[in-house]
Amino acid sequence: GRWRLPSISAGFVLALLLDRIGLMRSFGRRGLFGAGFVIGACSGLVGAAGAPTALSMRAYGLTQQPFVATIAVMASAMQCAKIPVYVATGAFNLDLWPLAVLLTSMSALGVFAGRFILERLDAQRFRTAVDVLLLLIAVWLVVKAVSG
């Protein structure tokens, strides 16, 4: 339990390092099956899989626009697939719909803001921004696990 988040964080940092030194760049279509499994497992384990998805898409070699679009479509499909499970198990009930609608609306606004920023980044800055964001997520997970 307590080491789950630091372990995931260590995996993020290791994957980033392997990518930076070029060891994850040969990842092809076959690797997507394994990546898809890991992404699904992370999503089921902690409810989200943004960081593993970003690492996988980077390793596959997608450029900025396809990277963002593929992650968006994949995340949407994954969340839609999880809704019936959460409703059936009672994890999500009708009282939570207003919160879900509010967060979805705010997320839609965030997409436009992100698109605006994305159009102004060259490939190297985009890659660096993704790396920094993933490292911040890893640090946050470790701090959260250590603090309690």
Side-chain angles (χ1 to χ4, degrees):
R2 180 177 172 95
W3 294 104
R4 178 176 52 183
L5 292 177
S7 298
I8 292 170
S9 298
F12 292 164
V13 172
L14 178 62
L16 282 171
L17 291 173
L18 290 174
D19 182 58
R20 279 294 178 165
I21 62 174
L23 293 179
M24 286 184 62
R25 299 230 184 259
S26 60
F27 182 124
R29 288 193 185 271
R30 282 191 213 156
L32 289 178
F33 290 107
F37 179 80
V38 170
I39 290 164
C42 286
S43 181
L45 184 65
V46 296
T53 305
L55 288 168
S56 299
M57 294 302 101
R58 287 237 356 230
Y60 189 63
L62 295 179
T63 57
Q64 286 167 265
Q65 301 294 336
F67 176 94
V68 172
T70 301
I71 290 175
V73 170
M74 184 179 167
S76 297
M78 189 180 330
Q79 297 310 323
C80 287
K82 291 190 305 188
I83 290 171
V85 174
Y86 293 144
V87 171
T89 60
F92 184 85
N93 60 53
L94 292 177
D95 295 340
L96 296 173
W97 275 108
L99 176 62
V101 169
L102 173 66
L103 292 174
T104 301
S105 301
M106 295 310 296
S107 295
L109 292 174
V111 167
F112 289 106
R115 181 80 179 155
F116 179 80
I117 294 167
L118 180 63
E119 290 173 352
R120 285 150 180 77
L121 292 177
D122 61 30
Q124 183 57 39
R125 285 188 179 172
F126 174 75
R127 183 173 178 218
T128 300
V130 170
D131 286 354
V132 168
L133 183 59
L134 290 171
L135 285 172
L136 289 173
I137 290 169
V139 168
W140 175 78
L141 289 172
V142 170
V143 168
K144 184 175 177 179
V146 170
S147 65

